[in-house]
């Protein structure tokens, strides 16, 4: 461990005939930062902007060819060292080994029979790479003086990972050597593979992820070269776009939130060995034990010796899996398509609708989701659509009429329509909106299925088409559901059926919550955004990691764009993505480990 021969800077390959001067690279980086710091153009110009940014990035990558720091040997050779290091530091590995599971990549394989709910893996805090360990490292002086790093724990973790990778005596070297050399996230897609996502509901997040990552790289490249506190960082001598893309992807696919040592705050962390687990359906089985100060994982189910040990990453959509984890999960019962809805401020009834929504704790502009399984829409979305479709008289009734407060509580309840006419409008809207979204795709579902049958399809292309097809299936189901409900309420209206009247004392408003509020929330998924969160500005540039301070940064010049960075996320979008996510407590314990 820690031998200098194990880390090296690549020699220039045959494709790089000359060594680029630092000035050449700095000029290109400055141009990239400027380009990425402008507002994203509207009117369908996002793809054009992406191509321009990608062109600049490729110029930089060409100049930097052979300059990245890499490890000698192959990844599989590092696993024995990883497990020995874990054993030495208080993480027993007598229940499993690391094995190759083909299309799923590497994962944990049981070496003995393990019972469901049996504690089989724990990782002490000292093994974790966290924002706190970054502050105590060579990165500390820069972190203490740069407000971007202070506001963005994910970026801090990515740079911490890079600095430790370049340190031949790093404590975490056995872990870092075990990480993939590259990832399957859209950051690694070829241009034609990204193009397959055009027209999808996920493509904006993919393009934003790339732009945000490029902007962050340009900013921190300049910082590493010019800031006095960065003078001793290894990044000053070798910091390529490929390096940063790797670090961002490592953090994006693996990071989780854990309690700080005193239990009073939350911090981001990479959890060695545990993040080798692959995903399957189930429940959250990992938590943080503050008394013993360690991450603990119990078995999701019974496992026989030689079987793969899985964990449940949480109720993520396939868009989230593809963008932030790099895989498509075929049997995803939690798949959904996000939609952005809002009451236009130019509408005559805007103030009244916004007030009714506010009383129901729903913003006037929101990100919602259409789900693949029932309920296809949440109670929160139902409430929004009912208000969205209200007439002036109906709005007055819910604001000033008898029992107005009680009526607000019924907005989310399917049993108590505002009126038959309103209900018809609600489901007509859903039917029409889903049908219109389907028309934005450049291919049909049948064409997608035919493409998936091609044996020469690249893995990334296959994933992109699978995601595209899955979105269409959700929208088709939503449109058909809307039509069925519309016809039902049209019949009710024709029959002059009496409208149900609620006479109870209270109703649980808002979201259908199928999570167990008693479950401990100890590990938090970083990318996901709770459905119904307000859209800020012209787009939902949300910061899903609980780092609200980032939104208050008021930096000058190009720095101002960094305030929306790193990810859903979100949403961690690679370090900032606008993700729609979902449900409530059940999600918060989920994990971000990726296919390994």
């Amino acid at each position: 461990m820690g031998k200098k021969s194990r880390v090296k800077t690549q020699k220039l390959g045959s494709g790089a005939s000359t060594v680029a001067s630092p000035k050449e690279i700095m000029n290109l980086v400055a141009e990239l930062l400027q380009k990425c710091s402008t507002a994203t153009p509207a009117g369908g110009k996002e793809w054009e902007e992406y191509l321009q940014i990608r062109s600049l990035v490729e110029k930089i990558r060409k100049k930097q060819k052979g300059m990245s720091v890499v490890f000698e040997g192959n990844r599989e050779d590092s696993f024995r060292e990883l497990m020995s290091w874990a054993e030495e530091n208080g993480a027993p590995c007598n229940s499993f080994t690391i094995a190759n599971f083909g299309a799923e990549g590497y994962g944990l394989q049981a070496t003995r029979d393990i019972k469901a709910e049996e504690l089989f893996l724990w990782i002490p805090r000292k093994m974790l790479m966290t924002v706190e360990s970054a502050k105590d490292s060579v990165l500390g002086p820069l972190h203490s003086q740069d407000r971007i790093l202070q506001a963005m724990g994910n970026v801090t973790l990515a740079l911490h990972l890079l600095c430790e990778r370049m340190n031949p005596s790093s404590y975490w070297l056995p872990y870092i050597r075990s990480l993939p050399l590259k990832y399957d996230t859209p950051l690694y897609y070829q241009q034609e593979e990204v193009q397959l996502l055009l027209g999808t509901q996920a493509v904006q997040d993919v393009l934003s992820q790339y732009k945000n990552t490029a902007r962050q790289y340009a900013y921190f490249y300049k910082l590493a070269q010019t800031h006095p506190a960065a003078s001793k960082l290894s990044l000053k001598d070798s910091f390529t776009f490929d390096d940063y893309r790797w670090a961002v992807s490592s953090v994006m696919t693996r990071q989780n939130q854990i309690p700080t040592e005193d239990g009073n705050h939350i911090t981001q962390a990479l959890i060695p060995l545990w993040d080798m687990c692959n995903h399957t359906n189930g429940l959250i089985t990992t938590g943080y034990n503050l008394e013993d100060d360690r991450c603990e994982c119990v078995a999701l189910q019974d496992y026989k010796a030689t079987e793969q040990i899985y964990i449940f990453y949480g109720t993520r959509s396939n868009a989230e899996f593809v963008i932030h984890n790099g895989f498509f999960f075929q049997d995803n019962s939690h798949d959904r398509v996000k939609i952005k809805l809002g009451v236009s401020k130019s509408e005559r009834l805007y103030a009244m609708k916004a007030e009714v929504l506010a009383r129901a704790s729903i913003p006037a502009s929101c990100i919602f989701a259409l789900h693949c399984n029932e309920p296809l829409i949440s109670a929160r979305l139902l409430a929004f659509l009912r208000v969205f479709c209200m007439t002036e008289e109906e709005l007055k009734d819910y604001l000033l009429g008898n029992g107005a407060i009680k009526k607000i509580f019924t907005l989310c309840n399917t049993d108590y329509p505002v009126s038959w006419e309103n209900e018809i409008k609600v489901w007509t809207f859903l039917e029409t909106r889903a049908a219109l979204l389907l028309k934005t795709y450049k291919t049909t579902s049948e064409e997608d299925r035919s493409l998936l049958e091609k044996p020469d399809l690249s893995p990334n292309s296959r994933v992109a088409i699978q995601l595209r097809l899955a979105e269409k299936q959700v929208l088709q189901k939503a449109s058909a559901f809307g039509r069925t409900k519309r016809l039902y309420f049209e019949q009710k209206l024709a029959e002059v059926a009496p409208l149900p009247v609620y006479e109870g004392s209270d109703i649980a408003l808002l979201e259908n919550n199928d999570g167990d509020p008693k479950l401990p929330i100890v590990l938090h998924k970083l990318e996901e955004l709770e459905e119904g969160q307000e859209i800020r500005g012209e787009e939902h540039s949300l910061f899903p990691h609980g780092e609200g301070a980032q939104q208050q940064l008021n930096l000058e010049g190009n720095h101002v764009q960094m305030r929306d960075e790193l990810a859903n996320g979100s949403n961690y979008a690679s370090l900032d993505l606008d993700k729609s996510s979902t449900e409530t407590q059940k999600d918060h314990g989920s994990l971000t480990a990726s296919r390994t």
Side-chain angles (χ1 to χ4, degrees):
M1 176 168 53
K3 294 181 181 178
K4 293 196 176 190
S5 61
R6 309 193 83 168
V7 183
K8 68 174 183 177
T9 301
Q10 293 175 331
K11 295 181 179 179
L12 288 174
S14 58
S17 57
T18 59
V19 178
S21 69
K23 184 177 181 180
E24 283 182 286
I25 296 178
M26 181 62 84
N27 288 340
L28 284 171
V29 166
E31 186 179 355
L32 178 65
L33 182 58
Q34 182 63 38
K35 180 63 183 176
C36 292
S37 297
T38 58
T40 299
K45 299 288 187 181
E46 296 90 346
W47 177 251
E48 181 179 328
E49 180 193 53
Y50 168 78
L51 294 179
Q52 293 169 356
I53 293 172
R54 187 176 183 112
S55 176
L56 279 171
V57 167
E58 290 305 315
K59 288 180 181 178
I60 292 171
R61 292 184 67 226
K62 185 176 181 180
K63 297 288 185 183
Q64 294 175 335
K65 187 172 182 180
M67 297 172 63
S68 294
V69 171
V70 297
F71 289 112
E72 294 179 329
N74 61 61
R75 184 188 178 200
E76 192 166 0
D77 293 339
S78 68
F79 294 150
R80 184 180 298 275
E81 184 179 12
L82 171 66
M83 295 183 70
S84 296
W85 174 72
E87 292 272 7
E88 292 168 4
N89 285 279
C93 303
N94 58 336
S95 300
F96 55 83
T97 188
I98 300 172
N100 191 332
F101 291 95
E104 290 183 286
Y106 292 102
L108 294 189
Q109 181 183 56
T111 54
R112 63 173 179 84
D113 291 353
I114 301 174
K115 294 294 184 182
E117 300 185 8
E118 178 183 347
L119 177 62
F120 72 95
L121 172 64
W122 57 89
I123 308 294
R125 182 182 295 273
K126 65 179 179 179
M127 287 178 60
L128 311 184
M129 295 188 74
T130 66
V131 172
E132 280 61 44
S133 65
K135 293 177 185 178
D136 294 335
S137 73
V138 66
L139 192 62
L142 182 61
H143 184 278
S144 68
Q145 298 182 44
D146 185 76
R147 289 192 292 168
I148 295 296
L149 280 178
Q150 293 167 15
M152 299 162 64
N154 347 42
V155 174
T156 298
L157 208 51
L159 295 180
H160 182 29
L161 185 63
L162 276 178
C163 289
E164 294 301 321
R165 185 178 72 159
M166 299 177 73
N167 177 7
S169 59
S170 171
Y171 167 74
W172 291 284
L173 207 58
Y175 169 60
I176 298 171
R177 282 178 50 80
S178 74
L179 295 174
L181 297 179
K182 59 181 295 188
Y183 291 86
D184 296 319
T185 63
L187 285 178
Y188 284 83
Y189 279 21
Q190 297 298 314
Q191 180 179 312
E192 59 271 19
E193 293 170 337
V194 178
Q195 198 164 2
L196 292 171
L197 292 171
L198 288 180
T200 67
Q201 304 308 302
V203 71
Q204 186 57 58
D205 286 351
V206 171
L207 302 184
S208 296
Q209 180 187 64
Y210 193 90
K211 179 180 181 178
N212 292 333
T213 302
R215 181 167 66 236
Q216 293 156 18
Y217 170 72
Y219 172 81
F220 287 107
Y221 182 91
K222 292 185 68 176
L223 198 70
Q225 298 299 317
T226 59
H227 200 292
S231 60
K232 295 182 180 180
L233 292 182
S234 52
L235 297 179
K236 186 176 180 66
D237 301 319
S238 179
F239 183 32
T240 68
F241 178 83
D242 284 358
D243 289 334
Y244 190 65
R245 178 176 62 173
W246 173 84
V248 162
S249 296
S250 296
V251 173
M252 179 171 61
T253 59
R254 289 170 147 72
Q255 71 166 348
N256 269 278
Q257 290 181 332
I258 65 167
T260 52
E261 198 162 358
D262 59 12
N264 294 329
H265 303 283
I266 293 296
T267 187
Q268 284 98 321
L270 295 176
I271 307 174
L273 200 59
W274 169 85
D275 63 12
M276 294 295 300
C277 293
N278 286 318
H279 167 78
T280 194
N281 289 319
L283 299 172
I284 302 302
T285 56
T286 303
Y288 201 89
N289 184 328
L290 277 172
E291 183 176 349
D292 293 328
D293 203 18
R294 66 189 190 185
C295 176
E296 296 183 342
C297 185
V298 300
L300 181 63
Q301 61 190 54
D302 288 345
Y303 292 107
K304 297 291 185 182
T306 75
E307 289 183 340
Q308 182 175 183
I309 301 172
Y310 291 97
I311 59 175
F312 177 59
Y313 291 5
T315 57
R316 299 184 186 177
S317 70
N318 270 318
E320 291 166 334
F321 278 136
V322 170
I323 296 171
H324 308 293
N325 297 90
F327 67 88
F328 179 90
F329 188 58
Q330 192 68 52
D331 188 28
N332 189 359
S333 59
H334 304 287
D335 203 13
R336 57 194 172 272
V337 173
K338 70 177 183 179
I339 56 172
K340 293 182 286 185
L341 298 176
V343 182
S344 173
K345 291 185 178 180
S346 63
E347 182 184 339
R348 182 176 65 86
L349 299 177
Y350 172 80
M352 296 177 72
K353 291 182 177 181
E355 177 59 26
V356 175
L357 287 169
R359 294 185 184 187
S361 301
I362 302 174
S365 294
C366 302
I367 300 168
F368 294 103
L370 302 176
H371 297 256
C372 68
N373 290 319
E374 292 189 6
L376 298 188
I377 70 170
S378 65
R380 194 178 183 89
L381 175 53
L382 175 62
F384 177 89
L385 291 177
R386 283 174 168 174
V387 177
F388 183 81
C389 295
M390 280 184 183
T391 64
E392 185 171 1
E393 289 304 312
E394 288 168 341
L395 288 166
K396 288 180 180 178
D397 188 38
Y398 275 73
L399 287 170
L400 304 171
N402 292 331
I405 294 178
K406 186 181 296 185
K407 287 180 179 178
I408 293 294
F409 288 121
T410 67
L411 283 172
C412 67
N413 193 308
T414 57
D415 294 333
Y416 301 100
V418 174
S419 66
W420 298 132
E421 293 86 352
N422 178 270
E423 208 72 2
I424 291 169
K425 291 177 185 177
V426 165
W427 298 108
T428 299
F429 178 90
L430 179 64
E431 175 188 6
T432 305
R433 182 61 177 261
L436 288 173
L437 288 174
L438 280 167
K439 292 181 179 180
T440 65
Y441 295 88
K442 299 181 182 298
T443 58
T444 64
S445 296
E446 291 71 23
E447 289 171 334
D448 286 345
R449 292 187 183 95
S450 296
L451 288 170
L452 289 172
E453 292 177 0
K454 292 186 175 182
D456 58 344
L457 205 60
S458 73
N460 291 341
S461 294
R462 183 171 301 279
V463 165
I465 295 171
Q466 285 176 317
L467 176 58
R468 192 169 71 189
L469 178 59
E471 283 193 359
K472 293 173 188 174
Q473 291 171 336
V474 171
L475 292 172
Q476 288 163 352
K477 184 177 289 189
S479 184
F481 181 70
R483 181 178 185 277
T484 299
K485 298 288 282 187
R486 171 179 60 79
L487 293 174
Y488 172 79
F489 287 109
E490 285 177 347
Q491 182 65 29
K492 286 288 185 181
L493 179 62
E495 294 172 352
V496 195
L499 199 67
V501 178
Y502 180 72
E503 298 178 351
S505 59
D506 190 19
I507 286 183
L509 186 61
L510 306 182
E511 197 69 53
N512 291 329
N513 185 359
D514 56 359
D516 184 350
K518 297 179 181 179
L519 288 176
I521 304 177
V522 286
L523 281 185
H524 298 256
K525 175 165 45 183
L526 299 183
E527 322 66 271
E528 297 199 350
L529 168 69
E530 183 176 350
E531 181 178 331
Q533 183 163 342
E534 182 176 5
I535 299 173
R536 300 173 183 170
E538 293 301 315
E539 60 181 85
H540 51 294
S541 53
L542 306 164
F543 192 74
H545 310 305
E547 298 183 34
Q550 171 183 336
Q551 300 294 342
Q552 279 70 56
L553 289 181
N554 183 21
L555 306 181
E556 60 182 355
N558 290 323
H559 298 190
V560 72
Q561 292 295 331
M562 299 298 293
R563 68 188 176 195
D564 296 325
E565 305 287 288
L566 199 55
N568 327 188
S570 27
N571 315 345
Y572 185 75
S574 63
L575 293 166
D576 173 39
L577 264 202
D578 303 325
K579 301 174 231 18
S580 73
S581 175
T582 83
E583 327 285 273
T584 49
Q585 304 239 16
K586 184 176 178 181
D587 273 7
H588 293 311
S590 67
L591 314 178
T592 55
S594 71
R595 292 293 194 210
T596 51

